[in-house]
Amino acid sequence: MAYDYAKNREERPDPVKADIKGNLPSWLQGTLLRNGPGIFSVGDTTYNHWFDGMALMHSFTFKDGEVIYRSRYLRGDTYKDNMAAKRIVVSEMGTMAYPDPSKNVISRVITFLNHTVPDFTDNCGNNFIRYGKDYYATSETNYIRKVDPVTLETQDKVDYMKYLAVNLVTSHPHYDKDGTAYNMGTSIAEKGKTKYTLFKVPDTAAGDKANASPALKNLEVICTVPCRSLLSPSYYHSFGMTDNYFIFIEQPFKLDILKMATAYMRGVNWASCLKFCPEENTLIHLIDRKTGKEVGIKYYTEAMIVYHHVNAFEEDGHVIFDVIAYEDPSLYNMFYLNVLKEQSKTSAMSVPKCKRFALPVQTDKGIDVGDDMVKLQYTTASAVKEKEGKLLCQPEVLCDGVELPRINYDFNGKKYRFVYMTCVAMSAVATKIMKLDIETKERTEWREENCWPSEPVFIPRPNGEGEDDGVVLTTVINSNPGESGFILVLDAKSFKEVARAYVNAELHMDMHGYFIPMEN
């Protein structure tokens, strides 16, 4: 039975008590939020791409051995405008929306001008992020929507542009132990310059000055990196962070700004303005967190496309980072709804590979051209000196056919051993999840017939012993007749089932999740 990506899903805003099979750990107390597209057609109009669907949020609250489920649509301006018009009137990345033909000429001209310098959607259906004490639904535009993590009610609309000149911002920030959030955005031709900006948002508990809401009022720019192509900034979905460095991959997957400005007039979507340049190298920017300056060495590798960083750490004069990499942009193209309808007949996606890179930080003076500067014994990743101050980096492939990586976040930016991922191979649908031991390369998998699991999220046991002391949560779409979907709880160490909570509601394919411990 194939999963129907184009089906509109129903929300369940009232709490639903799940039916527990097994025994939930007594320490597992908190709420898992998940986010993803849920409405794909309004009236007689339909989105072209699955990522464009209107955001449907889910919550699974674990408390005293019970699980309470609810779901609610994000009621942003995009949702309200589409529903009021009874048709799709707000453009998304893969779907350009056009005004009703009955609109007058002036209305059409205004719509055209709005699309020339696009005012992006607030349909925040990719992930959740935390700034200070507030939680936001987010995609990758300059808009985020504050949400109540308990009721899932939509609250304030927040525009990054009020605090920082960025048109696009990632939905995968990093967090320090003190609650400070770090994120990255792109300024499209701001004062004639196209640049990437790394910024931080201190926790609202940091002092009296920080108590104002939103925490973004206290945003601080760490550094900016100029785009190598003025009118074609690179697309990126995440970045890496260690104790002392940021890792930003400037890949040859670019947004053509001039084409984007004329997309509406030409009758094409904004996604068509993304171009992959396989003849170009991928630049790896290593930025000192303390100084905000790039290190003196220039690192590069062959053309690739990265959406998700796994983790990064420092050891013996190297910065090591792991990513999920593709050879081409076929992943995005696979999620057009007309392609997904033929998902059983296609194998067009390039196989994603979990790759490890090692960047020597020490000077290359005295090193001969052609020498490999990586001196670590546990990886085959290399960094060969091409000329003074420039290294060609080749990765070690840790495994392939995986996506949506999650780790024990207590080990973020530090040397780690375990990563939890979905297994996707040649299909857009994950049929199993896995735990990878990076040291031994041992893979442990969970799968069940006619079940499609989501991104696995690791939750550490309080005062746990060891990196994998905790549980892994994944929501599972269950297509077995007469059975409902469930949230699965696996022991992270053994990867064996501990419990599952069946939900009397239709679960749907989503993107990313965020766990909020009960004390928060």
Side-chain angles (χ1 to χ4, degrees):
M1 180 179 177
Y3 180 76
D4 186 358
Y5 277 88
K7 178 183 176 182
N8 288 348
R9 309 292 163 174
E10 291 186 12
E11 64 178 0
R12 293 292 297 269
D14 295 322
V16 177
K17 185 177 178 180
D19 181 20
I20 309 295
K21 176 184 175 183
N23 295 298
L24 294 171
S26 59
W27 57 262
L28 183 58
Q29 307 274 326
T31 297
L32 175 67
L33 301 178
R34 294 204 61 83
N35 200 353
I39 288 180
F40 306 95
S41 60
V42 182
D44 59 357
T45 58
T46 304
Y47 287 115
N48 297 327
H49 200 279
W50 184 70
F51 293 174
D52 295 343
M54 285 190 280
L56 178 57
M57 305 174 291
H58 301 257
S59 72
F60 300 84
T61 298
F62 295 81
K63 186 178 180 181
D64 301 331
E66 294 183 345
V67 177
I68 302 298
Y69 168 81
R70 73 174 84 210
S71 65
R72 191 186 293 266
Y73 275 102
L74 183 77
R75 283 166 168 76
D77 293 347
T78 295
Y79 179 96
K80 293 175 182 177
D81 291 348
N82 287 344
M83 292 306 179
K86 297 182 180 178
R87 64 196 312 272
I88 297 169
V89 294
V90 180
S91 297
E92 302 289 342
M93 195 67 184
T95 307
M96 193 64 79
Y98 292 88
D100 191 313
S102 63
K103 293 283 183 70
N104 60 38
V105 173
I106 294 177
S107 176
R108 292 187 200 180
V109 169
I110 292 173
T111 303
F112 169 70
L113 292 174
N114 283 340
H115 282 75
T116 302
V117 182
D119 183 20
F120 288 119
T121 176
D122 70 341
N123 178 31
C124 304
N126 187 270
N127 203 358
F128 293 96
I129 61 177
R130 174 175 56 81
Y131 288 132
K133 296 294 180 281
D134 297 326
Y135 296 90
Y136 298 87
T138 177
S139 57
E140 293 181 316
T141 75
N142 56 296
Y143 292 118
I144 52 179
R145 294 297 308 221
K146 185 179 175 183
V147 296
D148 184 319
V150 176
T151 65
L152 299 181
E153 292 175 334
T154 306
Q155 299 178 336
D156 300 340
K157 180 180 181 179
V158 175
D159 185 354
Y160 280 110
M161 296 282 280
K162 289 185 178 180
Y163 312 100
L164 181 68
V166 284
N167 307 87
L168 304 166
V169 182
T170 88
S171 57
H172 290 284
H174 285 284
Y175 305 94
D176 266 348
K177 294 289 187 183
D178 65 2
T180 298
Y182 299 82
N183 211 342
M184 186 168 181
T186 300
S187 300
I188 298 177
E190 191 253 339
K191 295 182 179 178
K193 296 180 180 179
T194 305
K195 60 188 179 182
Y196 314 106
T197 302
L198 275 156
F199 62 90
K200 69 177 182 179
V201 181
D203 185 21
T204 50
D208 292 337
K209 174 189 172 185
N211 285 331
S213 182
L216 281 168
K217 289 181 178 179
N218 303 298
L219 181 151
E220 300 173 27
V221 172
I222 298 170
C223 70
T224 60
V225 177
C227 298
R228 61 171 161 177
S229 304
L230 177 62
L231 295 177
S232 299
S234 288
Y235 171 79
Y236 55 96
H237 186 69
S238 60
F239 61 101
M241 186 177 82
T242 69
D243 288 344
N244 296 295
Y245 298 97
F246 295 108
I247 303 102
F248 166 52
I249 297 175
E250 190 174 13
Q251 53 200 10
F253 188 35
K254 305 176 181 181
L255 183 61
D256 189 316
I257 295 174
L258 294 180
K259 286 186 176 180
M260 192 172 185
T262 60
Y264 184 83
M265 180 177 64
R266 292 184 293 114
V268 299
N269 60 34
W270 287 319
S272 69
C273 305
L274 282 165
K275 58 181 180 181
F276 181 52
C277 307
E279 71 283 357
E280 295 186 13
N281 293 322
T282 298
L283 304 183
I284 304 170
H285 298 275
L286 188 62
I287 300 159
D288 190 306
R289 285 179 60 177
K290 295 181 179 66
T291 66
K293 306 289 186 182
E294 285 196 62
V295 301
I297 300 175
K298 300 298 182 185
Y299 309 94
Y300 76 98
T301 189
E302 61 192 17
M304 65 178 184
I305 294 179
V306 169
Y307 299 100
H308 296 116
H309 281 248
V310 181
N311 197 14
F313 60 94
E314 303 165 35
E315 187 169 52
D316 294 338
H318 300 74
V319 170
I320 299 93
F321 69 93
D322 302 335
V323 295
I324 308 298
Y326 294 79
E327 295 177 353
D328 57 47
S330 56
L331 173 72
Y332 186 87
N333 296 332
M334 271 196 75
F335 280 90
Y336 279 102
L337 290 173
N338 63 335
V339 176
L340 288 169
K341 287 179 182 178
E342 304 295 323
Q343 60 183 294
S344 61
K345 302 177 184 178
T346 182
S347 59
M349 184 179 74
S350 69
V351 177
K353 296 177 181 177
C354 184
K355 293 184 176 182
R356 166 161 290 183
F357 289 85
L359 309 180
V361 181
Q362 67 271 24
T363 178
D364 63 345
K365 290 182 178 178
I367 304 296
D368 292 335
V369 171
D371 283 356
D372 180 7
M373 290 185 61
V374 177
K375 303 304 178 186
L376 303 171
Q377 298 300 312
Y378 56 78
T379 181
T380 58
S382 63
V384 175
K385 181 174 179 178
E386 185 181 74
K387 63 181 183 180
E388 201 72 26
K390 188 174 183 180
L391 300 182
L392 170 60
C393 302
Q394 296 291 357
E396 173 189 1
V397 177
L398 301 176
C399 67
D400 59 21
V402 291
E403 249 296 1
L404 302 177
R406 297 295 291 263
I407 63 169
N408 179 343
Y409 202 77
D410 290 340
F411 286 77
N412 188 58
K414 306 185 185 322
K415 191 172 184 179
Y416 74 117
R417 182 171 174 177
F418 304 109
V419 56
Y420 309 91
M421 299 176 278
T422 57
C423 300
V424 290
M426 302 301 293
S427 169
V429 180
T431 56
K432 54 188 176 182
I433 56 174
M434 64 168 278
K435 173 187 180 182
L436 173 67
D437 184 329
I438 291 174
E439 288 186 9
T440 67
K441 306 298 189 294
E442 179 184 1
R443 300 168 58 140
T444 310
E445 299 178 347
W446 179 92
R447 73 180 306 275
E448 193 165 299
E449 200 68 28
N450 300 318
C451 287
W452 301 309
S454 71
E455 166 197 60
V457 178
F458 176 88
I459 314 299
R461 183 169 68 90
N463 304 312
E465 299 177 0
E467 182 184 339
D468 59 350
D469 189 355
V471 296
V472 170
L473 305 180
T474 181
T475 57
V476 181
I477 297 169
N478 187 354
S479 62
N480 287 300
E483 297 183 15
S484 61
F486 55 93
I487 185 164
L488 178 69
V489 183
L490 299 176
D491 175 76
K493 193 176 294 289
S494 66
F495 224 54
K496 300 294 185 183
E497 181 174 336
V498 172
R500 62 177 66 184
Y502 287 98
V503 177
N504 185 24
E506 183 183 33
L507 300 183
H508 80 297
M509 206 72 74
D510 58 22
M511 292 190 182
H512 295 295
Y514 186 104
F515 186 79
I516 306 173
M518 188 65 73
E519 61 268 21
N520 291 354

